[in-house]
Amino acid sequence: LGSDDHRLCSLEGVDICVFRIGGDNVGNQVIRNTFDYSGSAGETFVVHANIRGSSIPVNRFGFRVTLTDTVGGVSQNINLIAPSGTYLFTVIAQPFTANINFDQVTITGGTSGANGTMWVDDVYLLPNP
């Protein structure tokens, strides 16, 4: 993240903490969390985020969930694309089915070298019964 990107705990009088990700139209700006979690092919999940956007270009901000089999060296990517435009906090969610056995999960959020700003809260991955 760039120097202007940081954790904000008071945004327009709302008592929540969010991360601000601002694009610079050059490099990728991302936040990332990797954790150990084992699952099997065929399991279903939903990735969820509460986001606010300002001047978000089409298909340039969002999230990627990567399921990885660290022993076999294979992975599966699931993309959750932020809507374009300017808007108040909006929930975006994407259900998916794992197509590999995995032992590690990475969630990455941000921009791929675009302008615009995204505020992020409540990013999580849950089993989808």
Side-chain angles (χ1 to χ4, degrees):
L1 295 176
S3 61
D4 291 337
D5 300 309
H6 54 278
R7 187 168 178 251
L8 304 170
C9 289
S10 180
L11 182 64
E12 296 179 1
V14 178
D15 190 24
I16 58 175
C17 291
V18 300
F19 283 95
R20 177 187 177 277
I21 303 169
D24 62 3
N25 210 31
V26 177
N28 295 342
Q29 306 294 322
V30 299
I31 55 175
R32 178 176 293 128
N33 188 23
T34 299
F35 52 94
D36 295 331
Y37 179 85
S38 295
S40 302
E43 288 186 62
T44 59
F45 299 90
V46 63
V47 59
H48 168 284
N50 191 15
I51 64 169
R52 174 183 159 192
S54 176
S55 302
I56 301 290
V58 175
N59 295 328
R60 299 295 293 275
F61 275 79
F63 296 87
R64 172 175 285 165
V65 175
T66 303
L67 307 178
T68 304
D69 173 357
T70 60
V71 175
V74 295
S75 62
Q76 173 186 355
N77 290 318
I78 300 91
N79 293 316
L80 177 62
I81 304 300
S84 61
T86 297
Y87 43 88
L88 297 177
F89 277 98
T90 302
V91 172
I92 58 174
Q94 175 70 44
F96 67 92
T97 301
N99 61 22
I100 63 169
N101 295 330
F102 59 95
D103 58 358
Q104 188 178 72
V105 177
T106 301
I107 301 175
T108 305
T111 176
S112 58
N115 280 330
T117 304
M118 179 172 69
W119 292 264
V120 180
D121 188 31
D122 295 332
V123 178
Y124 54 82
L125 178 68
L126 293 174
N128 192 25

